[in-house]
Amino acid sequence: MRYEIKELNLGGILDHSISLLKNHFKLLSVILVSILVPVQVLSSVLVAAAVPKPGKMAAERMGGMEDVGLSLMTGLWVMIGVSTLVFFLFHSLAQGAVTWGIAEAYLGKSVTAAECIKTAFHKWPVLITTAIVNWFGIVGGMMLCIIPGIYLVFAWFVICPVLMIEGLPVMKVFGRSRTIM
């Protein structure tokens, strides 16, 4: 299907979005499965490694319940931190690859999942930097009284598409996203 580049109202945007998703579902699915399934497997392995084994816990009970509780809590927090970091890093890559794939499909270009992932991989450091600045800005805004955080969520809503499609430097991406929104 050929898409026209023109100004659209909300209904037109939703119609085009659903058409893009429906027409390129296989491409998007392959991109997401290729990136996020291995990440989920890795996270599961990390969880399994962080939780003490029942036999080990019984042996540690000799030292007291406080040691077992501390060991469980430490393992839990390490697991949560590492899993969150791994998810954060690979979510940026997946978002960049999907954005690139949809943009190319919208322009009528034929693109493979491997090409989309490769393009996003080349911009991965910038995607991560942008995601970190975005996260700190929104969390900081939420701490200031919620309203600034909500404003930043909407103002910076399209930073990934601006970064992937327009290729602007990190700090200009935020201003451009705010202008678009």
Side-chain angles (χ1 to χ4, degrees), residues 28-63:
L28 300 175
S29 297
V30 170
I31 291 170
L32 292 174
V33 167
S34 298
I35 296 171
L36 297 181
V37 167
V39 170
Q40 284 304 119
V41 169
L42 178 62
S43 291
S44 298
V45 169
L46 291 173
V47 169
V51 176
K53 306 295 180 262
K56 184 177 178 185
M57 285 176 44
E60 286 179 351
R61 282 194 188 133
M62 301 296 187

Side-chain angles (χ1 to χ4, degrees), residues 12-105:
I13 291 171
L14 291 173
D15 185 47
H16 272 65
S17 299
I18 291 169
S19 293
L20 276 166
L21 179 61
K22 188 171 64 174
N23 296 338
H24 303 286
F25 186 77
K26 182 179 177 186
L27 171 69
L28 300 175
S29 297
V30 170
I31 291 170
L32 292 174
V33 167
S34 298
I35 296 171
L36 297 181
V37 167
V39 170
Q40 284 304 119
V41 169
L42 178 62
S43 291
S44 298
V45 169
L46 291 173
V47 169
V51 176
K53 306 295 180 262
K56 184 177 178 185
M57 285 176 44
E60 286 179 351
R61 282 194 188 133
M62 301 296 187
M65 285 303 286
E66 298 83 23
D67 294 339
V68 174
L70 182 61
S71 174
L72 282 172
M73 288 305 295
T74 302
L76 177 67
W77 282 111
V78 167
M79 179 262 318
I80 289 172
V82 171
S83 293
T84 301
L85 179 64
V86 167
F87 176 80
F88 186 76
L89 293 174
F90 284 93
H91 180 268
S92 299
L93 180 65
Q95 189 176 13
V98 166
T99 300
W100 185 256
I102 286 295
E104 293 296 292

Side-chain angles (χ1 to χ4, degrees), residues 30-32 34-35 93 97 112-122:
V30 170
I31 291 170
L32 292 174
S34 298
I35 296 171
L93 180 65
T112 66
E115 292 169 342
C116 295
I117 294 169
K118 182 179 177 183
T119 302
F121 188 74
H122 288 306

